[in-house]
Amino acid sequence: MSAIITPFVLLVNLSARSTLRGLPEPATGSWRPPLDPGKPVMRRPAGLIAAVPLAALGLVVMAIPVLMVIGMVAGDDPPETLTAGSCARNDGSWGAQDLKPEPCGSSDAEFQVTDPGVEGCAAGDYLADLEYSADGATSLCLHPVGR
C-alpha cells in the first residue's frame, strides 16, 4: 500500500513546503537579534560525509527493481524441444533435467526419445519433463541407448 500512498503524500508535502517558504523570516520578541543558523547542512563537511552512505543506499534501493526487471526480461532460454525418434543427452540430474538434442549416431547420445503411446513408457525408460515437448503438454519417454 505504501508504494501507492507515498506519491500522494509527497505531493501534499510539496504544497505544504511552498506555504512554508512563503513565510517571513522569524522575528524575536526580545531586544537581541536571532542567532545565525550557519551554513546549510549540505554545505558543511559533516553533511557531505553523511551524503555518501545515503547516496550508496539510494543506489542499492534503485538497483534492486532494475535488476528484477532485467531478470524478468532476460529470463532463462526456453529448453530445446525433443521429438519422438530423436536422441538426447542429460547434462543435469533427474530432479532438474537439462536435456539437449544429440544426433543419434553420436557417442554423446544417452537416450532415444520415444512416444509413450497408450501403454506408457517401457520398463527402464525415463520420463522427460513436459517442457521438452513441442507443445509443452505431451509426455515423452527416454529410452537408454545401449553402447
Side-chain angles (χ1 to χ4, degrees), residues 39-71:
K39 291 182 184 178
V41 173
M42 291 312 290
R43 290 193 184 150
R44 300 177 194 172
L48 292 175
I49 291 171
V52 172
L54 289 175
L57 178 64
L59 286 174
V60 168
V61 168
M62 291 305 295
I64 292 171
V66 168
L67 291 174
M68 289 176 65
V69 168
I70 290 171

Side-chain angles (χ1 to χ4, degrees), residues 80-102 104 109-117 120-133 138-146:
E80 297 183 51
T81 58
L82 302 173
T83 57
S86 65
C87 293
R89 74 176 191 279
N90 185 16
D91 290 340
S93 65
W94 284 109
Q97 290 181 2
D98 187 16
L99 299 173
K100 306 286 185 208
E102 280 291 329
C104 288
E110 298 176 297
F111 306 99
Q112 182 168 11
V113 181
T114 59
D115 186 11
C121 296
D125 285 1
Y126 297 98
L127 189 63
D129 289 342
L130 294 176
E131 63 190 34
Y132 292 103
S133 64
T138 305
S139 297
L140 295 171
C141 297
L142 300 172
H143 181 74
V145 177

